[in-house]
Amino acid sequence: MSWISQNVRPKDQIEKIKRKASKKPSLLEDDEELEERKEDEPDKYKTKKRKEERVEEDKQLEIKQENEMKKLENFLFGSLYSPVEFGKQDEEESRDEIIEKSSALFFTDRSANSVLSVYENNAEFSESTDDGVRQRKPVWVDEQEEKISINIARVNRLRKLRKEENESAISGSSYVSRLRAQHVKLNPGTEWAQLDLQSRTYSSDDEDPDIENGSAGSALAHGYKDIEGIDDILRTNEDLVVKSSAKLLPGLLEYSRLVNANAEDPSSGPINSVQFHRNAQLLLTGGLDRKLTFFQIDGKRNTKIQSIFLEDCPVRKASFVPDGSQVIVAGRRKFFYSFDLVKAEVDKIGPLIGREERSLEVFEVSPDSKTIAFVGNEGYILLVSSKTKELIGTLKMNGTVRSLAFANNGRHLLSSGGDGHVYHWDLSTRACFHKAVDEGCINGSALCTSPNGALFAAGSDSGIVNIYNREEFLGGKRKPIKTIENLTTKVDFMKFNNDAQILAISSTMKKNSLKLIHVPSFTVFSNWPPPNQTLHYPRCLDFSPGGGFMAVGNAAGKVLLYKLHHYQHA
């Protein structure tokens, strides 16, 4: 075998070598590709340069716009909207030439000059005043201010601080004082914030002849020397003018409907009693569903606080004791309940010893929180102590008793019933000291007295309501001040509001039979009841202690809540 035959490669290796050779570009091809790349690269570089040039142009435009805006602000507002720059001595000569040429335009601001002088005088003598005037002293003083000199004529913004036309360089302390005076001129402060207001403004009060003559009222009004009283006013957020004592105008009543007071827990039966607590935030509701429920009234949510279920007593009436410590609950039963708000305990009281009444559903609590008067059988009125819950006495009418009302802070009791008379009782002697016929009344059904006891209203089965002046009635005048004939069915409920300007009368026998009477004019509000709303069958009503809220309970188990806009407080 020769060497040539041994060095011959197999066919498959030869084919691989050929393939690799075909894949490798030749030198000519490499030169062509390089030329093409060189032709493409200048285009890319050109586009990049163009973008960079555009960005630079945009930046320059923004800078120019900012400079123009600053110049415009400086021209319009001066040094208020431009930063203070001073002490630059390497500025252009053109600016110096402008300052020299503009001396003809210079004018002296007399008002600014006066302010500056006053301020500087106060600054110089703030520590050496012997008049007792309190001056504000700086907490910290920079010692370098005296050594620095500032050329206020070089900068246009600072030229307004000059006092004279030729003035140029000033010390640092005078520069600061002039800047502060300029600020005071442009932004005058309130007088009440100045410490020396009392002695500086009213220093001439000592020479006032009215004060020497002893007219203290005029001196106080002129000089406001009762600084403690002023401080007391500024430390409270209470109303300086109480608007609740304003007179309520007749005709139209301003009110608005709010969320139902018992929206969170509507009753499944008729509501027989609603009443506000003395704090005007707590409202109790009671009805035939045997529940006594308390709500926190705010007019928006009226959150439910607590509910008490009385298994054996459908609630006919529930009432707070005026001192707010407990609730008296009664129904058509021979016993009643007492709920202690402090201890959260329910006590069952009765039947009363020596009495055979099967129902204690009608009662009234005295304003002094000492006595509870129940309507008994055969014309008897049962007097029960609110503390011991024991029977302490009885009163006897000629006819049946249907309604009760207290007067004179619980010392007197009014009653009416089947004989058409109104009785006045003295609870200290437990004797009737006056008895008179209610004009036009056959059977009395409701009684109500005003909070001050000056007026009382008597309702009857025929729907007639007579309003009397109590003193005149006791003096022998039998004719009422006004007779209200707007109801056509039996009057079941009446209530005066807190200032006796509104009297509410209602009947449970007819829908929407609730009227609000303007007491000073003895006219009915024409926009009540609401024309587009139904009150259903109203059964009870109460006004909040401040008069701002009015709650109406109806036979549908809802307690409607209204806001009376005339009264500012609930």
Side-chain angles (χ1 to χ4, degrees):
M1 184 180 291
S2 63
W3 289 101
I4 296 172
S5 63
Q6 289 180 353
N7 295 330
V8 175
R9 296 181 179 180
K11 291 182 179 181
D12 54 353
Q13 290 182 0
I14 293 170
E15 289 178 358
K16 288 181 180 180
I17 292 169
K18 287 180 179 180
R19 290 174 184 173
K20 290 181 180 180
S22 62
K23 289 181 180 180
K24 289 182 180 179
S26 61
L27 294 173
L28 295 173
E29 291 177 352
D30 292 341
D31 295 337
E32 291 177 356
E33 288 180 357
L34 290 172
E35 290 178 355
E36 290 177 356
R37 289 179 182 176
K38 287 181 180 179
E39 291 177 356
D40 294 337
E41 284 178 355
D43 296 335
K44 293 181 181 179
Y45 291 142
K46 289 179 181 179
T47 55
K48 287 182 179 180
K49 288 182 179 179
R50 289 175 183 175
K51 289 181 180 180
E52 292 177 354
E53 290 176 355
R54 289 177 184 175
V55 172
E56 290 179 357
E57 289 178 357
D58 294 337
K59 289 181 179 180
Q60 291 178 359
L61 288 174
E62 290 179 357
I63 293 170
K64 289 181 180 179
Q65 290 177 356
E66 290 179 357
N67 292 333
E68 290 177 357
M69 290 297 294
K70 288 181 180 179
K71 289 179 181 178
L72 180 61
E73 290 178 355
N74 187 17
F75 177 75
L76 293 176
F77 306 107
S79 61
L80 289 177
Y81 292 92
S82 58
V84 178
E85 297 178 359
F86 57 90
K88 291 185 178 180
Q89 298 179 358
D90 55 347
E91 294 181 350
E92 298 177 357
E93 296 179 357
S94 60
R95 185 174 295 179
D96 294 334
E97 294 176 359
I98 291 171
I99 294 172
E100 292 177 358
K101 292 179 181 179
S102 62
S103 60
L105 301 175
F106 179 85
F107 69 95
T108 304
D109 190 352
R110 298 296 179 184
S111 61
N113 191 11
S114 62
V115 174
L116 290 172
S117 61
V118 171
Y119 187 88
E120 290 176 354
N121 291 333
N122 290 337
E124 292 176 0
F125 301 103
S126 59
E127 297 180 359
S128 61
T129 55
D130 298 332
D131 299 337
V133 178
R134 291 180 296 172
Q135 298 285 346
R136 291 185 181 274
K137 296 181 180 180
V139 179
W140 175 77
V141 178
D142 188 2
E143 297 179 354
Q144 298 296 328
E145 289 181 357
E146 296 292 339
K147 301 178 182 179
I148 295 175
S149 63
I150 300 164
N151 191 348
I152 60 177
R154 186 179 294 274
V155 183
N156 291 336
R157 292 187 300 271
L158 304 180
R159 290 175 58 202
K160 62 175 72 68
L161 301 179
R162 292 185 294 175
K163 292 183 179 181
E164 297 178 358
E165 182 179 358
N166 298 327
E167 188 176 13
S168 59
I170 59 174
S171 63
S173 60
S174 61
Y175 173 74
V176 171
S177 64
R178 294 188 187 186
L179 281 180
R180 289 180 177 176
Q182 183 69 14
H183 175 75
V184 170
K185 176 188 172 183
L186 298 177
N187 304 289
T190 53
E191 293 184 355
W192 59 265
Q194 299 178 11
L195 294 177
D196 59 342
L197 175 66
Q198 179 184 2
S199 59
R200 177 171 55 82
T201 307
Y202 308 111
S203 59
S204 63
D205 287 346
D206 297 334
E207 301 176 359
D208 195 345
D210 294 337
I211 299 176
E212 295 177 358
N213 295 332
S215 59
S218 62
L220 181 61
H222 177 68
Y224 293 94
K225 288 194 172 183
D226 188 8
I227 302 301
E228 296 180 356
I230 295 174
D231 292 341
D232 293 339
I233 292 174
L234 297 177
R235 287 171 184 162
T236 181
N237 60 352
E238 296 179 357
D239 294 337
L240 298 180
V241 179
V242 180
K243 298 181 180 180
S244 61
S245 61
K247 291 183 179 180
L248 178 65
L249 299 178
L252 298 177
L253 179 66
E254 295 182 0
Y255 66 90
S256 59
R257 173 77 181 273
L258 303 178
V259 180
N260 289 350
N262 64 341
E264 289 194 358
D265 187 12
S267 175
S268 58
I271 300 292
N272 287 329
S273 186
V274 294
Q275 188 179 10
F276 283 92
H277 192 265
R278 58 185 298 180
N279 64 6
Q281 297 180 355
L282 186 66
L283 177 73
L284 72 84
T285 64
L288 297 182
D289 60 349
R290 305 181 183 185
K291 288 196 302 183
L292 186 69
T293 312
F294 297 90
F295 297 92
Q296 183 178 0
I297 301 301
D298 57 3
K300 297 179 181 179
R301 295 186 57 186
N302 302 329
T303 308
K304 176 184 173 182
I305 298 177
Q306 188 177 7
S307 182
I308 300 170
F309 182 74
L310 304 175
E311 186 176 359
D312 55 352
C313 184
V315 179
R316 292 282 177 173
K317 184 169 183 179
S319 177
F320 283 110
V321 175
D323 61 7
S325 61
Q326 56 183 328
V327 180
I328 305 299
V329 185
R332 200 163 287 177
R333 299 289 187 269
K334 62 177 66 176
F335 53 84
F336 65 95
Y337 284 93
S338 174
F339 175 63
D340 193 329
L341 295 176
V342 179
K343 299 179 181 179
E345 296 179 353
V346 180
D347 296 329
K348 184 177 180 180
I349 297 105
L352 299 176
I353 298 174
R355 303 302 304 176
E356 297 179 356
E357 279 76 12
R358 295 184 178 181
S359 176
L360 300 174
E361 59 184 288
V362 180
F363 68 91
E364 291 290 335
V365 184
S366 63
D368 58 0
S369 305
K370 294 181 180 180
T371 308
I372 307 171
F374 289 93
V375 171
N377 297 335
E378 300 176 354
Y380 278 95
I381 302 172
L382 311 180
L383 303 178
V384 177
S385 173
S386 61
K387 293 183 179 180
T388 62
K389 308 300 186 299
E390 294 179 355
L391 185 67
I392 58 176
T394 59
L395 306 174
K396 178 67 171 69
M397 284 176 51
N398 293 335
T400 58
V401 186
R402 293 190 179 181
S403 59
L404 302 170
F406 281 93
N408 285 359
N409 197 25
R411 293 189 295 270
H412 293 166
L413 177 67
L414 283 72
S415 64
S416 67
D419 60 351
H421 287 72
V422 177
Y423 292 77
H424 283 74
W425 305 87
D426 188 353
L427 295 184
S428 60
T429 60
R430 292 175 190 170
C432 177
F433 65 92
H434 188 271
K435 172 186 172 184
V437 177
D438 181 15
E439 187 178 89
C441 174
I442 298 175
N443 293 318
S445 60
L447 274 177
C448 179
T449 57
S450 61
N452 58 3
L455 302 175
F456 76 91
S460 62
D461 286 346
S462 60
I464 301 297
V465 177
N466 291 327
I467 301 176
Y468 295 93
N469 186 310
R470 188 164 174 267
E471 290 185 1
E472 295 178 356
F473 187 78
L474 294 176
K477 185 178 179 180
R478 301 292 184 262
K479 192 172 183 179
I481 302 174
K482 183 66 176 180
T483 298
I484 308 297
E485 300 177 354
N486 292 82
L487 297 181
T488 58
T489 54
K490 185 182 75 169
V491 181
D492 294 301
F493 186 85
M494 296 189 299
K495 179 76 174 181
F496 281 97
N497 72 332
N498 62 321
D499 59 356
Q501 294 195 77
I502 299 177
L503 173 63
I505 58 176
S506 67
S507 174
T508 61
M509 301 178 67
K510 189 177 180 181
K511 278 189 176 182
N512 294 338
S513 59
L514 173 62
K515 301 294 183 180
L516 297 180
I517 301 166
H518 181 255
V519 176
S521 64
F522 298 108
T523 57
V524 177
F525 288 104
S526 59
N527 62 336
W528 184 271
N532 299 326
Q533 300 175 5
T534 176
L535 302 177
H536 205 262
Y537 292 91
R539 299 179 68 89
C540 53
L541 178 144
D542 192 32
F543 296 96
S544 60
F549 289 135
M550 181 179 66
V552 181
N554 59 23
K558 297 180 180 179
V559 180
L560 310 180
L561 187 64
Y562 295 89
K563 175 72 174 71
L564 305 183
H565 298 297
H566 174 74
Y567 299 95
Q568 304 297 321
H569 303 285

